[in-house]
Amino acid sequence: MTDPQPPLGLFGTEDLIDGDDRAIRDAVRDFVRDRVRPQLPDWFEQARIPARELARELGKLGVLGMHLEGYGCAGTSATAYGLACLELEAADSGLRSLVSVQGSLAMFAIWRWGSEEQKREWLPRMAAGEAIGCFGLTEPDFGSNPAGMRTRARRDGDDWIVDGTKMWITNGSVAEVAVVWARTEEGIRGFVVPTDTPGFSAPEITKKLSLRASVTSELVLDGVRLPSSAMLPGARGLSGPLSCLNEARFGIVFGALGAARDCLETTIEYSRNREIFGKPLAAYQATQLKLADMTLELGKGMLLALHLGRLKDAHRLRPEQVSLGKLNNVREALGIARECRTLLGANGISLEYPVMRHANNLESVLTYEGTSEVHQLVVGQALTGHGAFR
Ligand code: FAD
């Protein structure tokens, strides 16, 4: 018998991660191991996550908006941000969602498209985890096609009045600030909405079988009156929210691999200890064929993620390349989670092991930030020049 190697160790991807990025990654890995991993099964089972407390701790760790520059943000490389997402999602996709929505959607929208006043008001508190943000784009009848949105903002003197409903909004019920996208006479515009504004409410969505350790909410805007300074001055049309989604999707390219790695490592360990017909499950050829194939997909996904990370750090990453990464890595991560579940047998369905929790979470990750089909269409358009969305 030889000493077993971890799946990514076999690929040698560690050599592709430089010192600074590695130090950040290790700090996040330690935080996840010590602070969140032991609690996660309970949070998932009870569908309750101490989001405010966690946000402050994540703020201290420096991961909220970590790849943004200034206003209290750490200004790390994009690759370091991706690696942090990977470690967070190795714990649970819900934890990574909290960080992605905060940093890549809500903070990025303000950082990229906001006024100086909006940036100064919100970003330092959001980076510290003292204010949680959410991002309201999806509506009950418009998910993949946000251009159809019904939420409207109309002028009333110098003010705006916003009416509408957003659906499936991560962090909604625990947020201090919501970035809400609405139709106006001048096209789709973004608004920074303090959640204590009269007319705003965010009932939590319950009965979820996926991302249970994440707050998901409806946003109801009923005659919400905002000053003219609440509009994001730089974002006009759908390109505003799509630029934010592109940031969050990049984090998912890495993040999904964290869930897959955790499933695979758990399963390798399990199969070495589980005796079946008098020998370890790991010693059967059928098991090793599955483990080898899953390791290939995990390693290929990691190489792709690191490549896209380098392109982003060089400011050369294109949206269709992010689609390639999200499509492949989430699809393969879900495949790995499901295959691992088979190897755990009945234990595979228990919360004592993280595998089915990850598999269930990845069903949401497959759907949000652009469904797999939407990313296939983005790649298809890049390949053929023909848009086939409608
Ligand atoms: P639909 O758009 O109705 O899609 C249904 C099916 O049709 C899918 O299989 C889809 O791929 C397919 N389809 C769609 N268009 C086409 C086409 N042109 N050709 C072929 N097939 C197509 N949204 C936010 O704004 N903010 C958030 O914070 C947020 N968090 C979320 C958290 C969770 C847990 C979940 C589950 C969702 C979240 N979402 C959020 C919403 C998410 O982005 C949408 O669910 C997603 O965009 C898909 O939209 P939909 O659910 O309306 O599905």
Side-chain angles (χ1 to χ4, degrees), residues 334-374:
L334 184 55
I336 288 171
R338 287 176 178 157
E339 188 80 298
C340 285
R341 206 218 57 75
T342 68
L343 282 162
L344 265 67
N347 281 324
I349 71 151
S350 168
L351 259 177
E352 295 288 324
Y353 295 88
V355 173
M356 192 148 166
R357 175 166 57 79
H358 283 309
N360 278 13
N361 285 339
L362 287 166
E363 293 289 350
S364 287
V365 182
L366 195 71
T367 289
Y368 71 23
E369 301 292 347
T371 65
S372 280
E373 293 79 8
V374 163

Side-chain angles (χ1 to χ4, degrees), residues 101 105 134-145 167-171 208 210-211 214 216 245 364 367-374 377 388-390:
V101 169
L105 293 181
C134 69
F135 183 89
L137 180 64
T138 303
E139 298 190 355
D141 293 328
F142 298 95
S144 302
N145 175 24
M167 196 64 184
W168 299 111
I169 306 306
T170 303
N171 296 349
K208 286 182 300 171
S210 171
L211 282 191
S214 171
T216 316
L245 293 178
S364 287
T367 289
Y368 71 23
E369 301 292 347
T371 65
S372 280
E373 293 79 8
V374 163
L377 294 175
F389 291 92
R390 57 186 78 237

Side-chain angles (χ1 to χ4, degrees), residues 74-87:
T76 70
S77 71
T79 304
Y81 169 57
L83 292 167
C85 287
L86 191 153
E87 296 305 327

Side-chain angles (χ1 to χ4, degrees), residues 157-275:
D158 280 347
D159 292 348
W160 289 98
I161 309 288
V162 188
D163 287 286
T165 304
K166 298 291 177 180
M167 196 64 184
W168 299 111
I169 306 306
T170 303
N171 296 349
S173 316
V174 290
E176 273 76 28
V177 60
V179 172
V180 173
W181 300 92
R183 181 179 299 291
T184 71
E185 277 185 358
E186 42 187 277
I188 290 170
R189 305 296 305 254
F191 296 87
V192 180
V193 185
T195 55
D196 58 3
T197 309
F200 181 98
S201 59
E204 190 166 351
I205 296 173
T206 56
K207 298 188 168 62
K208 286 182 300 171
L209 297 175
S210 171
L211 282 191
R212 289 175 62 78
S214 171
V215 175
T216 316
S217 315
E218 186 181 344
L219 305 184
V220 181
L221 296 106
D222 182 9
V224 170
R225 179 178 288 276
L226 300 169
S228 59
S229 60
M231 181 194 266
L232 292 171
R236 284 176 186 273
L238 261 190
S239 61
L242 291 183
S243 69
C244 306
L245 293 178
N246 217 35
E247 292 295 303
R249 289 167 180 170
F250 170 79
I252 293 173
V253 174
F254 281 84
L257 298 176
R261 186 190 71 192
D262 194 46
C263 289
L264 190 50
E265 288 181 351
T266 300
T267 302
I268 292 171
E269 175 75 11
Y270 181 90
S271 69
R272 295 180 71 237
N273 293 318
R274 173 76 174 171
E275 289 245 335

